[in-house]
């Protein structure tokens, strides 16, 4: 499948990690599968015929080939920002340990670099997760956001991975995340992100505070308790969709992709729409959140990062 955006479609570029997820289940089973939060966002948008480009770091090794093929099958164009032979650039691995409820905790063997020259033109630039805070690449992500925000809408999902953050680095990471939140147009955080960034904070109060710092829309997801959004016109909460949970891998990334898809469907997917985005109606936000919740519910109902295809979502087709 081609990763090139169709004429008239916004050009969506995702920047961040792609890797191998090693899943260790509570019953002792294990399996390896491609993953990574930004890669999952790109994968979801590819399945929705948005033809995104993922700028990432992959080794010239068997694991990297596996990740590239997985993304290509869903219509994602992959640009490996740092190329090299297998012995010098090795594809990263994240180990996800699932408890009996299907919730995942993570351990990482991961490196991240970014060559900003490899990032093409975009109408929407999505950044997040490890790519936004792991040095040395995180500095280039921050610089890229500053460079591109006049021409691109910026979406950001911190998707904090505490296992990768030393106590001595926590303050710097929190500051970097706050800077990216202020620079972004749309931000999605999980309740776990919120607890790490602002321990004990009320989700709605935190969302309002962050929204006033710069973004048009800040969304805090709370698993089975739904999602809360703050905008310039007020706040709203939508419930999660009830489903049997197999595991939660990729659910937050699917939700994030739903917000990007919602921008496209609302004709708010270019920098020229920024003023209208900052005046977004609660009715439009409600539609965005419900689309995201529906997509995430499908993802958690099956194993691994396996987001729905467009035909599984129902509702209006992609224009």
């Amino acid at each position: 499948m081609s990763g090139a955006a169709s004429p008239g479609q916004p050009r969506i570029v995702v920047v961040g990690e792609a890797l191998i997820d090693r899943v260790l289940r509570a019953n002792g089973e294990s399996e390896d599968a491609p993953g990574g939060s930004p890669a999952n966002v790109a994968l979801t948008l590819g399945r929705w015929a948005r033809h995104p480009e993922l700028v990432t770091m992959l080794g010239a090794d068997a694991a990297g080939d596996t990740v590239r093929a997985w993304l290509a099958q869903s219509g994602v164009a992959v640009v490996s920002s740092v190329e090299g032979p297998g012995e010098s650039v090795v594809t990263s691995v994240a180990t996800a340990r699932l408890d009996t409820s299907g919730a995942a905790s993570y351990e990482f063997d991961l490196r991240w670099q970014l060559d900003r020259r490899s990032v093409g033109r975009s109408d929407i630039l999505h950044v997040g997760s490890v790519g936004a805070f792991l040095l040395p690449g995180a500095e280039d992500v921050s610089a890229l956001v500053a460079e591109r925000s006049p021409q691109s809408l910026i979406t950001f999902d911190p998707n904090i991975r505490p296992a990768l953050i030393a106590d001595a680095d926590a303050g710097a990471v929190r500051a970097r995340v706050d800077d990216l939140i202020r620079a972004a147009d749309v931000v999605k955080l999980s309740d776990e992100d919120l607890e790490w960034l602002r321990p004990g904070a009320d989700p709605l109060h935190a969302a309002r505070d962050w929204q006033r710092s710069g973004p048009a829309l800040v969304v805090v997801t709370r698993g089975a308790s739904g999602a809360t959004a703050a905008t310039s016109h007020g706040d709203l909460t939508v419930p999660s969709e009830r489903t049997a949970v197999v595991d939660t891998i990729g659910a937050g990334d699917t939700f994030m992709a739903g917000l990007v898809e919602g921008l496209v469907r609302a004709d708010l997917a270019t920098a020229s729409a920024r003023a209208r985005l900052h005046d977004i109606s609660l009715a439009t936000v409600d539609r965005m959140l419900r689309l995201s919740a529906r997509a995430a519910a499908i993802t958690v109902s099956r194993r691994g990062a396996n987001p729905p295809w467009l035909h599984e979502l129902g509702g209006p087709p992609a224009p």
Side-chain angles (χ1 to χ4, degrees), residues 268-284:
L268 295 170
T270 64
S272 63
R274 182 170 277 129
R276 288 189 291 116
L277 174 57
H278 280 257
D279 194 39
I280 191 170
S281 71
L282 291 179
T284 300

Side-chain angles (χ1 to χ4, degrees), residues 109-161:
D109 178 14
L110 195 151
R111 289 153 297 282
W112 170 241
Q113 294 174 253
L114 175 67
D115 181 350
R116 299 202 304 276
R117 295 171 298 180
S118 64
V119 183
R121 183 186 65 80
S122 59
D123 295 304
I124 295 178
L125 175 67
H126 175 75
V127 300
S129 197
V130 176
F133 66 76
L134 185 66
L135 298 174
E139 292 181 340
D140 286 298
V141 169
S142 294
L144 179 70
V145 166
E147 290 170 2
R148 298 299 179 87
S149 59
Q151 298 84 33
S152 305
L153 291 182
I154 307 297
T155 63
F156 175 46
D157 178 2
N159 201 8
I160 300 295
R161 300 303 189 190

Side-chain angles (χ1 to χ4, degrees), residues 55-147:
V55 182
T56 189
M57 179 180 174
L58 289 169
D61 50 23
D65 291 344
T66 297
V67 175
R68 290 182 184 90
W70 170 71
L71 290 162
Q73 288 167 2
S74 291
V76 180
V78 179
V79 175
S80 189
S81 174
V82 182
E83 296 284 3
E87 63 269 22
S88 61
V89 179
V90 179
T91 300
S92 299
V93 176
T95 300
R97 298 181 182 275
L98 302 182
D99 62 22
T100 53
S101 72
S105 59
Y106 291 87
E107 302 166 8
F108 296 90
D109 178 14
L110 195 151
R111 289 153 297 282
W112 170 241
Q113 294 174 253
L114 175 67
D115 181 350
R116 299 202 304 276
R117 295 171 298 180
S118 64
V119 183
R121 183 186 65 80
S122 59
D123 295 304
I124 295 178
L125 175 67
H126 175 75
V127 300
S129 197
V130 176
F133 66 76
L134 185 66
L135 298 174
E139 292 181 340
D140 286 298
V141 169
S142 294
L144 179 70
V145 166
E147 290 170 2

Side-chain angles (χ1 to χ4, degrees), residues 188-226:
K188 193 278 291 182
L189 310 95
S190 69
D191 49 2
E192 293 176 342
D193 294 331
L194 175 60
E195 182 59 28
W196 191 86
L197 291 166
R198 296 189 178 185
D202 175 84
L204 179 55
H205 292 165
R208 286 172 175 164
D209 186 41
W210 273 317
Q211 191 276 326
R212 287 191 292 264
S213 76
L217 173 64
V218 176
V219 178
V220 178
T221 59
R222 295 175 291 119
S225 298

